[in-house]
């Protein structure tokens, strides 16, 4: 369903600018050490989501399914779920099975938490895997909500209190493996041991191997998740979740862990928020290397500012990513003319205004948008560039405008998992990609074919 | 073999280890991480390439968005099939029913795109909340004046094969609704070819050079009007037997049209298929033209094939694809390239398919139905293969282990059918197997003897 302040409302959705909640949950579960994501639903949900994730990450992505048939649909899927858990345990020897529901099992009213409790009692999981379930009906929310719901469910199920340790919790949101590596390194540079949830920096971006690992190596250790209740602080990186019952807020309420909500650290200013929080938590100044990195990013902004100034951009994707990118665009002088997302958190417009107060005019905001609506707006707006994932390619092609590929999914280029968005280095990289896209576009459409800027 | 769940033991066979038996056509085992999809997927892949129809997925957003423009099914005209339409049901619709959403979405989209027909795919939830999809379709069809056809593709109602059946049933509601005047007695329908990378155009070209008219491509580069006239063809050629054999049977039952199962992969199967068509029409002109087509086409590619064969002889391959019929052709095509198949399997094969594979393959070959990543990875390591042929979900298993991979899925951008397709296939196999990158991967680097042998 499309809706926005500007466009006509349509009942149908064409080329959605969102994915379903179970996908987000699977992505989050895949960043836990020894974990197997498990979808309680039909076989297709698991297979489609695997395909979609594999096409971006180019890594094995096993998602189990309770493989619903007619009888499970009529009589309930408890037996399928339990058999599935048995089989996954036998084959993968996982440390954790993350069970996400689907539209089907929510609609028939399967009580998955009860099944899981029964299973745990019947089979006795002493030494067996932790089983965490999350409710992710595909008819409510997007993959972003599914992702955060799964993170919260894992924290709710596993985190324990205790004496406050030295470590800090990182809740990075839906970012790339390269982003996750950057955040871990940044925490380490402040001398802060971290527990990052989820951490698919290696599980979904691993090396070539001689022996196949049933579950890819890496991921947040279970022990680390258990210790999240006694961390010295949580750094929660999201915009639209602020004020909601997030995993970070849960840790604060249940265990008194201070929660620093900093937004996605995209662009210099949003990264400054993250680093200010790291300084406060660690009691140390930003390490010299990062000050240099910040300085270089600003130096690059200066070198290239003319090429991007006043360029008009359409930004689309998950709400958090779009808000972060809008902040970056505003600080480099690009004018976002349309910020669009399939998400409908209700906070999109207000958070965009908050992160980009200097914009000369407010961009059009499209919540719950699909690509039909974005394409229509693009025809009118005639932007100079598009910033978003691969699925906007058709619009960019039609407009003959460059598409700067960011976020997820990147299905038409290699290396989506290695794109860096966050931190000073991410700001630097994004700026160069945007500026070079503008330069390349001008060079390509020039009749002269000059080789000098 | 520690990787096979006990409940799946009868879905794996090793040639020579015991007399041939194979259990298949079973629902996937819960928790086994099947590579299969669902009923919806089966229906969606069959109907997807009909380019002037509206394909509306009725349900929450996932099913529609994961099937948006994911196939390489080309159209020579309209591109409507490449858009992803959904009723994008929300909680409110689940509670109060999705019929209004369906009616409004259909009406809106038909007005916007003026399609020649609309297919409405019912997804899991629809089967539970009890929407009367049939009634809504009938109502909109009457108002819009085009066929609006429900496809009963709720994911849980069986396997992908049941989705094929639902798609064929949907097609039968369009077949027979247009005039067949002027169709040649020497005419065929091409069934089960989806025009990936333009493959239907290659096959049509051969048939037209033979003097055979093609009435309808079902469904590659498909058009509603062609499907509506399909009952006028003299013969149905069925490729990818799993997906459209039902349609061929329905056409035979209702209109008496005979059908032949064919394969366009590999020189042998391609030539045999054309000769079968010629034999069916038993017309001297067609027979002579067919021989000429085969001769010209084979002459054009054979010298290059032999070059590739020199490099590839003795290499070992593994195959895991959707349909077993394709697997059979691939075993033959690989043999032409001098390669052995040491593992072959499919998501949806039947006992006859697997028996044929068993006869075709060498001793020791593993034959497997409805496999999963752990089995496949363990077979790959055990059999030391040089090449794995499969789809998107199999690719990372091969790559992670440093094994060459050839994509035989529906996203492909190079045609693999026909004689020219065999050359493309050989080129891709060659590039996959002979790339120097494998020498750097840990699996090969830890096998110095073998690496040395390959240097020579």
């Amino acid at each position: 369903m499309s809706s926005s302040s500007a466009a006509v409302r349509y009942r149908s959705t064409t080329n959605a600018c969102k994915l379903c909640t179970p996908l987000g949950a699977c992505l989050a579960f895949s960043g836990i050490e020894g974990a197997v994501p498990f979808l309680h639903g039909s076989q297709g949900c698991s297979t489609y989501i695997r395909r979609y994730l594999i096409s971006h990450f180019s890594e094995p992505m096993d998602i189990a399914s309770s493989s619903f048939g007619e009888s499970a649909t009529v009589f309930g899927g408890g037996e399928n779920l339990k058999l599935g858990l048995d089989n996954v345990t036998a084959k993968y020897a996982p440390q954790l099975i993350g069970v996400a529901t689907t539209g089907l099992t929510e609609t028939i009213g399967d009580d998955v938490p009860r099944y899981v409790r029964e299973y745990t009692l019947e089979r006795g999981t002493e030494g067996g895997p932790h089983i965490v379930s999350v409710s992710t009906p595909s008819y409510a929310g997007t993959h972003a909500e599914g992702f955060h719901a799964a993170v919260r469910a894992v924290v709710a199920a596993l985190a324990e209190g205790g004496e406050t340790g030295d470590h800090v919790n990182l809740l990075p949101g839906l970012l790339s493996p390269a982003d996750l590596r950057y955040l871990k390194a940044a925490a380490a540079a402040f001398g802060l041991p971290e527990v990052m949830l989820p951490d698919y920096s290696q599980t979904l971006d691993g090396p070539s191997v001689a022996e196949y690992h049933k579950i890819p190596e890496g991921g947040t250790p279970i022990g680390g998740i258990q210790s999240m209740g006694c961390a010295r602080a949580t750094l929660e990186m999201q915009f639209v979740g602020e004020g909601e019952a997030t995993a970070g807020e849960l840790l604060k309420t249940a265990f008194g862990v201070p929660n620093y909500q900093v937004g996605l650290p995209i662009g210099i200013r949003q990264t400054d928020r993250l680093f200010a929080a790291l300084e406060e938590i660690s009691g140390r100044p930003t390490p010299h290397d990062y000050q240099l990195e910040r300085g270089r990013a600003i130096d690059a902004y200066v070198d290239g500012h003319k090429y991007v100034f006043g360029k008009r951009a359409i930004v689309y994707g998950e709400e958090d990513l779009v808000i972060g990118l809008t902040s970056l665009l505003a600080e480099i002088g690009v004018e976002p003319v349309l910020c669009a997302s399939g998400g409908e958190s209700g906070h999109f417009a207000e958070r965009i205004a908050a992160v980009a107060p200097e914009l000369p005019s407010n961009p059009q905001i499209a919540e719950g948008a699909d690509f039909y609506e974005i394409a229509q707006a693009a025809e009118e707006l005639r932007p100079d560039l598009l910033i978003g994932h691969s699925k906007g390619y058709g619009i960019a092609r039609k407009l003959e405008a460059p598409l700067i590929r960011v976020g997820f999914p990147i299905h038409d280029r290699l290396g989506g998992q290695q794109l860096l968005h966050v931190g000073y280095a991410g700001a630097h990289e994004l700026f160069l990609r945007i500026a070079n896209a503008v330069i390349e576009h001008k060079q390509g459409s020039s009749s002269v074919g000059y080789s000098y800027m | 073999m520690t990787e096979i769940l006990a409940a799946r033991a009868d879905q794996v066979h090793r040639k020579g280890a015991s007399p041939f038996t194979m259990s298949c056509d079973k629902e996937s085992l819960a928790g086994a991480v099947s590579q299969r999809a669902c009923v919806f997927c089966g229906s969606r892949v069959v109907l997807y390439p009909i380019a002037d129809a509206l394909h509306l997925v009725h349900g929450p957003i996932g099913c529609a968005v994961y099937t948006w423009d994911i196939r390489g099914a080309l159209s020579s005209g309209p591109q409507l099939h490449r858009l992803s339409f959904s009723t994008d049901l929300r909680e409110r619709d689940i509670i109060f029913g999705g019929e209004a959403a369906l009616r409004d979405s259909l009406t809106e989209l038909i007005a916007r795109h003026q399609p020649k027909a609309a297919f409405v795919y019912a997804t899991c939830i629809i089967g539970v909340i009890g929407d009367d999809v049939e009634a809504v379709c009938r109502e909109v069809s009457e108002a819009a004046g085009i066929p609006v056809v429900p496809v009963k593709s709720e994911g849980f109602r069986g396997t992908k094969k049941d989705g094929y059946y639902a798609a064929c049933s949907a097609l039968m509601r369009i077949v027979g609704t247009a005039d067949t005047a002027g169709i040649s007695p020497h005419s065929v329908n091409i069934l089960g070819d989806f025009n990936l990378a333009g493959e239907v155009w290659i096959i049509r070209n051969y048939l037209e050079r033979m003097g055979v008219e093609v009435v309808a491509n079902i469904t590659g580069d498909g058009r509603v009007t062609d499907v509506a006239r399909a009952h006028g063809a003299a013969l149905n050629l069925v490729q990818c037997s799993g997906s459209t054999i039902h349609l061929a049977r329905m056409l035979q039952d209702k209109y008496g049209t005979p059908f032949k199962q064919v394969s366009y992969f590999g020189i042998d199967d391609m030539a045999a298929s054309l000769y079968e068509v010629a034999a069916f029409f038993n017309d001297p002109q067609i027979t002579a033209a067919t021989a000429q087509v085969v001769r010209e086409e084979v002459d054009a590619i054979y010298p290059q094939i032999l070059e590739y064969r020199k490099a590839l002889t003795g290499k070992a391959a593994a195959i895991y694809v959707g349909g077993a019929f394709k697997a059979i052709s691939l075993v033959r095509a690989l043999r032409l390239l001098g390669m052995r198949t040491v593992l072959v399997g499919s998501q949806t094969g039947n006992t006859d398919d697997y028996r044929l594979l068993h006869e075709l393959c060498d001793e020791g070959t593993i034959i497997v139905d409805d496999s999963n990543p752990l089995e496949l990875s363990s077979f790959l390591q055990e059999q030391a293969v040089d090449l794995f042929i499969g789809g998107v979900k199999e690719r990372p298993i091969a790559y992670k282990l440093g094994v060459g991979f050839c994509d035989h899925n529906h996203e492909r951008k190079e045609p693999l059918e026909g004689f020219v397709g065999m050359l493309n296939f050989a080129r891709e196999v060659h590039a996959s197997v002979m790339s120097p990158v494998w020498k750097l991967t840990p699996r090969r680097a830890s096998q110095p003897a073998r690496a040395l042998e390959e240097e020579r």
Side-chain angles (χ1 to χ4, degrees), chain B residues 24 90 110 124 172 181-182 253 271 286 337 343 359 369 409 444 448:
Chain B
C24 47
R90 304 303 172 82
I110 289 170
C124 283
M172 276 305 279
D253 289 346
I286 291 178
L337 295 175
L343 162 67
E359 285 165 15
D369 175 61
N409 209 325
R444 290 292 176 83

Side-chain angles (χ1 to χ4, degrees), chain A residues 1 10-15 18 20 42 47-48 50-51 59 65 70 87 91 206-207 209 212 344 372, chain B residues 3 30-31 34-36 41 66 68 84 86 88 90 101 108 112 124 156-157 372 377 381 400 411 442:
Chain A
M1 194 177 351
Y10 294 107
R11 185 56 191 84
S12 58
T13 291
T14 302
N15 300 343
K18 62 176 176 180
C20 67
S42 292
T47 303
Y48 274 129
R50 288 178 61 209
R51 265 180 64 108
E59 293 286 332
S65 168
E70 298 240 30
N87 281 334
K91 292 249 298 190
V209 293
Y212 193 80
E344 291 171 293
Y372 179 75
Chain B
E3 300 303 345
S34 166
Q35 305 291 76
R36 284 179 183 168
C41 175
Y66 301 128
W68 171 20
S84 158
S86 171
D88 194 358
R90 304 303 172 82
E108 177 178 288
R112 187 191 295 167
C124 283
F156 61 83
R157 289 202 200 279
N372 55 65
S377 64
Q381 293 183 102
K400 199 77 318 205
E411 295 84 14

Side-chain angles (χ1 to χ4, degrees), chain A residues 1-2 9-23 36 38 42-52 54-55 58-70 73 79-81 83-85 87-88 90-92 103-104 107-108 137-141 143 205-215 342 344 368 371-372 389 391-392, chain B residues 2-5 27-38 40-42 44-45 56 60-63 65-70 82-94 100-102 104-106 108-109 112-113 124-125 128-129 154-158 372-375 377 381 392-397 399-402 409 411 441-443 446:
Chain A
M1 194 177 351
S2 305
R9 295 184 76 96
Y10 294 107
R11 185 56 191 84
S12 58
T13 291
T14 302
N15 300 343
C17 185
K18 62 176 176 180
L19 305 163
C20 67
T21 41
L23 179 140
V36 175
F38 187 116
S42 292
Q43 182 63 52
C45 302
S46 140
T47 303
Y48 274 129
I49 289 172
R50 288 178 61 209
R51 265 180 64 108
Y52 210 83
I54 288 170
S55 300
S58 301
E59 293 286 332
M61 182 77 210
D62 291 5
I63 300 172
S65 168
S66 44
S67 303
F68 258 60
E70 298 240 30
T73 305
E79 285 312 305
N80 274 54
L81 176 63
L83 174 64
L85 292 173
N87 281 334
V88 170
K91 292 249 298 190
Y92 287 83
L104 174 63
T107 305
I108 64 171
S138 50
Y139 48 76
H143 59 300
D205 194 12
S208 185
V209 293
E211 297 285 326
Y212 193 80
H213 296 283
K214 293 179 178 183
I215 302 174
E344 291 171 293
F371 278 99
Y372 179 75
H389 53 72
K391 304 304 171 185
Chain B
T2 54
E3 300 303 345
I4 300 163
L5 287 165
E27 273 187 14
S28 295
L29 185 61
V33 193
S34 166
Q35 305 291 76
R36 284 179 183 168
C38 58
F40 165 73
C41 175
R44 189 81 176 96
V45 297
L56 176 62
I61 196 63
C63 313
V65 76
Y66 301 128
T67 53
W68 171 20
D69 200 22
I70 61 165
R82 294 182 53 212
L83 303 182
S84 158
F85 300 112
S86 171
T87 50
D88 194 358
L89 295 188
R90 304 303 172 82
E91 193 145 21
R92 189 182 56 241
D93 305 309
I94 306 305
L102 176 59
D104 294 349
S105 297
L106 268 174
E108 177 178 288
L109 291 168
R112 187 191 295 167
H113 294 287
C124 283
I125 284 178
V128 178
I129 63 176
E154 290 91 342
F156 61 83
R157 289 202 200 279
N372 55 65
L374 291 192
E375 283 177 15
S377 64
Q381 293 183 102
V392 176
K393 297 182 297 295
E394 289 78 32
R395 185 173 58 212
I397 303 170
Y399 281 174
K400 199 77 318 205
L401 284 168
N409 209 325
E411 295 84 14
T441 62
R443 191 175 78 104
S446 66

Side-chain angles (χ1 to χ4, degrees), chain A residues 409-431:
Chain A
I410 304 300
H411 282 171
D412 62 342
R413 287 291 184 276
L414 294 169
Q417 68 277 48
Q418 278 107 21
L419 290 178
L420 184 65
H421 310 82
V422 302
Y424 301 121
H428 193 155
E429 190 173 312
L430 283 173
F431 176 78

